[in-house]
Amino acid sequence: MSAESAWPAEGGPEGGREEAPRILLVEDSETQALQLRRMLEAEGFAVTRAATAEAALDGLNGPLPALVIADYHLPGMNGDELVRRIRLNVRARALPVLMLTDGGGGHGADLERQGLESGADAYAPKSAGRELILARLRALLRRSDAEGMPDSPGAGFRRARLLLVDDGPTHRLWLSSLLAGDGDSVEAVDSAGAEAAAGREGWDGVLINLAGLGPEGLALCRRLDAMRSADAARAGDADAAFRIVALEGARASPVAAFEAGADDVLPAEAVGEAIRLRVRALVRRKLLREENRRIEAALRERLREVERARAEAASAEARAALADALERANTELGAANHALRDTQGKLVQAAKMASLGELVAGIAHEINNPLAFILAHQGTVTRLLDGLAPRVAEDPEAARAVGKAVQRAESMAVGLRRIQELVSNLRRFSRMEEGGAQEVDVPEAISTVLALLTHKLSDRIVVEQDFQAPRILRCSPALLNQVVMNIVGNAADAIQGPGGIRVATRLDGGDYVIEVSDSGPGVPEAIRARIFEPFFTTKPVGAGTGLGLSIAYTVVGAHHGSITVDDAPGGGARFTVRVPAEGAA
């Protein structure tokens, strides 16, 4: 393409604006090319020039322009042949082409016919004027923009490679110039170097001049045919072999030449145009088959890509479905595990409380019988001592003995009443495990729980009671038995040394609120969300089961209530139990 054989990186309007349409101008005249360039660039187009058709085809192997403007008369390959080759290439065949000529009159009409028959989209004489040329150009661009440029799988342009075999130096030079005029790459050799040259790969056609070779010419033609057959067998593609065109000689008839392997035979006296057209036709068919093979290979590759994409999509869907199934299974397994742990905790606690209730009821019963017997006889003893005192009043020694016995009897009565109160609390506690909603005296129930926890509280922990809510609450006795006992018991365990626990009740809107706060270290923020989980405990191994607060959470939840933990106003932890206040009185 002389000095302009490569596409420029930029052209046309300055940067910062929309990219200008790029036009390939194929014009051998420097003067006319300069005039057309200035006209097009003044209209906002970016222009790239090629001085020959061959250079234009080389340039079309890169990014395609928006439009091609080609002169009909070009050195070497003419404009009509350039257009034919563009139309034969799948990648570039949709390019709009505007043909220009210098001709006028009848000769101009003939050139227009030839240009349009070759595949040009429009024709304009250079003498038509600026306005007509620009109008045709814009019309072609509008149509091209509307139709779009397909992304074809074809390959770019390449020059055909021709091998010329001729023993006559003058005739060989003439034929070489004739064939090179179409823009093809031609290598000329004599018969001695023909086989060595033909052994190199990449030939599209071989032109062998049998005239002057004698019988050796047909033998050479047979050897060339054998070589290409072997090459085609190795490649597994008969269309890949080069084509053989023979010029018949005095001793080589057309039939003999065909039998020797020639694909086409021309008479020795054939004119240059006939030779050029025959060779071009054979080579064009080979290039078309080659282009078809490339297109088929590209289409097969695209089909494989589509199948791979479908397989990958199906695999991705399967993986996604499997991941979803695994996630659902994990979620269901986690929920089942949580429910199992919760149920296990409930069963353990229920068994423990049931056993404890039976044990407490049995102990209370066994203690109550002898206690009643002792209380009855203690009363008798006290009455006898009271009646004996006046009789021994005159005997100081006897009076002192009777008085001491009376004091011991009264002390025994105090101890027996404490045992009686403990038994009463145990019996009351065992009744609180009975299921179903009942009317519960909240202060009395909480006092009973505190009495049973005396061994934990002892003298080091002061319990403050502040009951502002109604005494009676309709609920399950377990709400006050298990919930309050677990919270107060945990508070007593958490307090090291002297401390205090406050138990308060109040109404808050429609809720009955029970608050238990302590002066212990409190519950760290990091574990507050876990303390109600089954088997979670902060106590040393063997010191707790981790079920107390879990059972409390479940019991409160069964009452459609809530249990929360936060910091007490004076430090420590504060547990707040809220249940609906229905039936509170």
Side-chain angles (χ1 to χ4, degrees):
M1 203 181 288
S2 62
E4 299 171 290
S5 60
W7 299 139
E10 297 179 356
E14 297 179 358
R17 297 190 298 175
E18 185 179 354
E19 185 178 356
R22 188 163 56 82
I23 294 177
L24 171 60
L25 174 62
V26 189
E27 173 61 68
D28 60 320
S29 170
E30 296 286 347
T31 303
Q32 294 184 3
L34 181 59
Q35 292 176 351
L36 289 169
R37 177 191 285 275
R38 287 178 176 175
M39 177 186 72
L40 295 172
E41 289 181 346
E43 295 296 322
F45 297 104
V47 180
T48 303
R49 181 206 167 204
T52 64
E54 293 82 0
L57 291 177
D58 289 340
L60 289 174
N61 286 326
L64 294 178
L67 181 139
V68 177
I69 298 178
D71 187 9
Y72 185 89
H73 296 288
L74 293 170
M77 185 190 306
N78 270 338
D80 58 343
E81 180 61 22
L82 169 65
V83 176
R84 288 191 187 94
R85 297 203 179 186
I86 291 176
R87 294 295 178 247
L88 289 174
N89 184 270
V90 175
R91 177 173 174 267
R93 65 175 46 166
L95 274 176
V97 179
L98 174 62
M99 184 77 73
L100 300 179
T101 69
D102 288 322
H107 184 62
D110 185 59
L111 292 180
E112 179 179 1
R113 178 185 58 78
Q114 294 182 38
L116 294 177
E117 287 179 350
S118 68
D121 296 278
Y123 169 87
K126 295 179 182 177
S127 60
R130 170 192 180 98
E131 290 77 11
L132 178 59
I133 293 176
L134 289 174
R136 285 191 178 277
L137 184 148
R138 289 195 177 95
L140 289 176
L141 288 177
R142 283 196 303 270
R143 189 168 63 193
S144 174
D145 292 340
E147 295 172 351
M149 291 286 288
D151 182 16
S152 300
F157 294 92
R158 72 173 182 86
R159 299 186 184 187
R161 294 189 61 206
L162 302 177
L163 177 63
L164 172 61
V165 183
D166 195 330
D167 281 348
T170 303
H171 196 261
R172 184 167 67 234
L173 179 61
W174 174 74
L175 284 175
S176 179
S177 300
L178 177 68
L179 297 177
D182 282 339
D184 298 327
S185 175
V186 181
E187 181 177 342
V189 298
D190 55 18
S191 57
E195 292 182 63
R200 298 194 297 271
E201 295 182 356
W203 298 111
D204 296 304
V206 175
L207 176 60
I208 178 170
N209 185 9
L210 299 178
L213 295 181
E216 177 60 25
L218 291 176
L220 176 61
C221 191
R222 292 189 186 93
R223 291 196 295 275
L224 292 177
D225 180 53
M227 289 177 62
R228 70 174 179 177
S229 298
D231 292 342
R234 283 194 298 272
D237 186 1
D239 290 333
F242 55 80
R243 303 296 185 261
I244 299 177
V245 180
L247 294 175
E248 66 177 278
R251 299 181 182 180
S253 67
V255 175
F258 277 118
E259 292 177 348
D263 297 294
D264 198 0
V265 181
L266 287 84
E269 65 276 9
V271 297
E273 183 66 14
I275 296 173
R276 186 175 66 84
L277 291 176
R278 290 285 187 93
V279 172
R280 182 192 300 171
L282 276 180
V283 171
R284 182 181 296 147
R285 284 197 295 272
K286 179 180 183 298
L287 294 180
L288 282 175
R289 291 192 181 97
E290 184 180 292
E291 182 74 6
N292 287 338
R293 288 196 304 274
R294 279 194 290 263
I295 294 173
E296 290 172 359
L299 290 176
R300 284 195 297 270
E301 180 60 27
R302 288 193 177 183
L303 286 175
R304 284 194 291 270
E305 291 176 358
V306 170
E307 291 300 325
R308 283 196 296 270
R310 288 177 178 171
E312 290 175 359
S315 177
E317 290 178 0
R319 288 195 300 270
L322 180 60
D324 290 342
L326 287 175
E327 184 177 358
R328 288 194 300 270
N330 288 335
T331 302
E332 292 172 359
L333 185 61
N337 183 51
H338 185 274
L340 181 62
R341 290 165 62 90
D342 190 36
T343 302
Q344 183 182 7
K346 291 178 181 178
L347 290 175
V348 171
Q349 184 71 2
K352 182 177 72 174
M353 296 308 293
S355 300
L356 181 60
E358 293 177 1
L359 178 62
V360 167
I363 292 175
H365 177 73
E366 294 299 328
I367 294 176
N368 196 51
N369 288 334
L371 179 62
F373 175 78
I374 294 172
L375 283 172
H377 287 284
Q378 188 272 340
T380 301
V381 171
T382 300
R383 288 193 300 273
L384 290 175
L385 289 175
D386 289 342
L388 183 60
R391 297 179 185 181
V392 296
E394 297 178 357
D395 186 353
E397 188 67 26
R400 283 196 301 272
V402 172
K404 189 173 182 179
V406 170
Q407 292 176 359
R408 295 293 185 271
E410 290 177 353
S411 298
M412 289 174 60
V414 172
L416 290 173
R417 281 194 296 271
R418 291 187 62 183
I419 294 175
Q420 189 178 34
E421 182 180 358
L422 176 60
V423 171
S424 176
N425 287 335
L426 288 174
R427 296 180 66 182
R428 191 180 302 113
F429 180 82
S430 66
R431 288 196 301 270
M432 289 175 65
E433 291 305 310
E434 298 173 358
Q438 303 175 19
E439 290 187 351
V440 178
D441 188 326
V442 176
E444 180 184 357
I446 293 178
S447 298
T448 299
V449 170
L450 293 176
L452 294 176
L453 291 175
T454 302
H455 66 288
K456 282 191 174 185
L457 303 175
S458 65
D459 295 333
R460 67 183 182 91
I461 298 177
V462 177
V463 179
E464 177 187 353
Q465 302 180 50
D466 182 12
F467 302 127
Q468 298 182 16
R471 294 185 60 89
I472 304 301
L473 174 65
R474 185 169 181 79
C475 65
S476 169
L479 177 67
L480 299 171
N481 178 7
Q482 298 186 33
V483 175
V484 176
M485 176 171 282
N486 284 322
I487 296 175
V488 173
N490 286 341
D493 292 337
I495 297 174
Q496 302 297 324
I501 297 176
R502 183 176 184 272
V503 182
T505 64
R506 58 186 172 85
L507 283 179
D508 184 7
D511 292 338
Y512 196 103
V513 181
I514 303 173
E515 287 184 353
V516 180
S517 56
D518 61 65
S519 60
V523 179
E525 183 74 29
I527 65 170
R528 290 182 183 177
R530 299 189 58 199
I531 61 174
F532 298 110
E533 295 179 2
F535 305 105
F536 179 82
T537 180
T538 58
K539 297 179 181 179
V541 176
T545 63
L547 292 174
L549 291 178
S550 173
I551 296 299
Y553 185 86
T554 303
V555 172
V556 174
H559 285 77
H560 306 289
S562 65
I563 178 172
T564 58
V565 59
D566 59 358
D567 295 327
R574 176 175 63 185
F575 285 82
T576 303
V577 177
R578 290 176 175 270
V579 294
E582 299 176 3

